[in-house]
Amino acid sequence: DVKVTQSSRYLVKRTGEKVFLECVQDMDHENMFWYRQDPGLGLRLIYFSYDVKMKEKGDIPEGYSVSREKKERFSLILESASTNQTSMYLCASTSLRGGGEKLFFGSGTQLSVL
Amino acid sequence: EDKVVQSPLSLVVHEGDTVTLNCSYEVTNFRSLLWYKQEKKAPTFLFMLTSSGIEKKSGRLSSILDKKELFSILNITATQTGDSAVYLCATANFGNEKLTFGTGTRLTIIP
């Protein structure tokens, strides 16, 4: 089974802190994604990456950056956390071999920014 | 802008009932529609639909796509408490690696 692992289930940070959310997948997938999930708004794409060192902005990239130095790892960075970034963050990966639509998700990180 | 709308937003039924969840979409260069189940944290894949009128089935769950009217339904028969979850609908289009998600339907099954 594909495994997508997010490093933390719950995080509490203070406004202005730099925050790193880590995601690792074990299936050699090309594409990796970061979403945030908020009540009433559904899943919104922050950034995605289709190869090592490649990244593309999603629908809501402001206030975030990403890093993909190795194929299996995709990191989301909040340079200076703000209270409106309190949310559930979901990482996902997919293989182009299967058409690329079937995402495999991690368990999520609930981030609270105080 | 691509748009996926799910209804109802929430639904509470008794165990054993049959439910129908709806997903309508407005998407350019439509490729496929996907259903996911999210129980606690990680959404898990249920179905991917690409052709109209062909029902996909897995146990008590089934889904069908209508590409003319631009919607899909997810049916769950003989519901069980383990079916309680948020059900997410998403679309994929050609030339784009991204999925567009609806806001989800929260289904609660009362014993």
Side-chain angles (χ1 to χ4, degrees):
Chain A
D1 274 356
V2 174
K3 196 161 183 189
V4 180
T5 303
Q6 293 184 229
S7 52
S8 306
R9 292 293 295 270
Y10 301 95
L11 271 181
V12 180
K13 296 292 181 181
R14 296 210 173 270
T15 302
E17 280 192 78
K18 190 168 186 175
V19 182
F20 292 87
L21 302 183
E22 306 286 344
C23 175
V24 177
Q25 50 94 4
D26 66 357
M27 278 300 290
D28 201 37
H29 283 173
E30 296 86 2
N31 292 353
M32 295 187 75
F33 304 80
W34 276 106
Y35 288 88
R36 65 177 280 178
Q37 186 175 27
D38 301 287
L41 296 176
L43 271 73
R44 292 179 293 165
L45 182 64
I46 305 170
Y47 267 98
F48 69 100
S49 168
Y50 51 88
D51 202 351
V52 175
K53 296 193 188 293
M54 306 301 285
K55 61 186 179 186
E56 292 234 2
K57 292 180 181 178
D59 300 315
I60 50 163
E62 296 79 18
Y64 304 94
S65 61
V66 290
S67 171
R68 193 162 180 205
E69 296 296 318
K70 293 185 178 181
K71 191 174 185 180
E72 67 270 20
R73 186 180 296 269
F74 192 34
S75 303
L76 180 70
I77 303 152
L78 288 66
E79 295 288 344
S80 177
S82 62
T83 54
N84 63 12
Q85 293 178 309
T86 291
S87 186
M88 169 66 72
Y89 290 87
L90 288 164
C91 174
S93 71
T94 187
S95 170
L96 291 175
R97 292 182 290 277
E101 301 108 306
K102 185 178 173 182
L103 296 181
F104 294 87
F105 284 90
S107 293
T109 297
Q110 180 64 53
L111 173 66
S112 297
V113 182
L114 306 179
Chain B
E1 185 183 326
D2 294 344
K3 198 172 169 185
V4 176
V5 178
Q6 292 186 246
S7 63
L9 291 182
S10 66
L11 188 57
V12 181
V13 300
H14 287 96
E15 203 168 18
D17 287 351
T18 293
V19 297
T20 299
L21 309 183
N22 303 293
C23 176
S24 64
Y25 61 91
E26 293 174 27
V27 173
T28 53
N29 297 319
F30 175 85
R31 179 167 66 175
S32 60
L33 185 142
L34 300 97
W35 285 96
Y36 286 84
K37 178 183 182 183
Q38 185 176 23
E39 288 181 82
K40 291 197 169 104
K41 301 292 185 192
T44 53
F45 173 81
L46 293 174
F47 298 112
M48 183 168 75
L49 303 142
T50 55
S51 301
S52 275
I54 298 174
E55 186 183 53
K56 293 269 180 113
K57 204 168 167 65
S58 176
R60 296 176 293 101
L61 278 68
S62 63
S63 184
I64 199 160
L65 176 68
D66 185 327
K67 288 168 76 172
K68 185 178 175 188
E69 299 298 327
L70 307 182
F71 76 91
S72 173
I73 59 171
L74 175 68
N75 276 323
I76 309 174
T77 59
T79 52
Q80 302 170 358
T81 54
D83 296 326
S84 293
V86 174
Y87 290 84
L88 299 168
C89 173
T91 57
N93 49 14
F94 288 103
N96 196 326
E97 303 295 336
K98 306 184 294 184
L99 297 188
T100 300
F101 282 86
T103 54
T105 293
R106 180 174 293 280
L107 176 63
T108 303
I109 310 297
I110 300 171

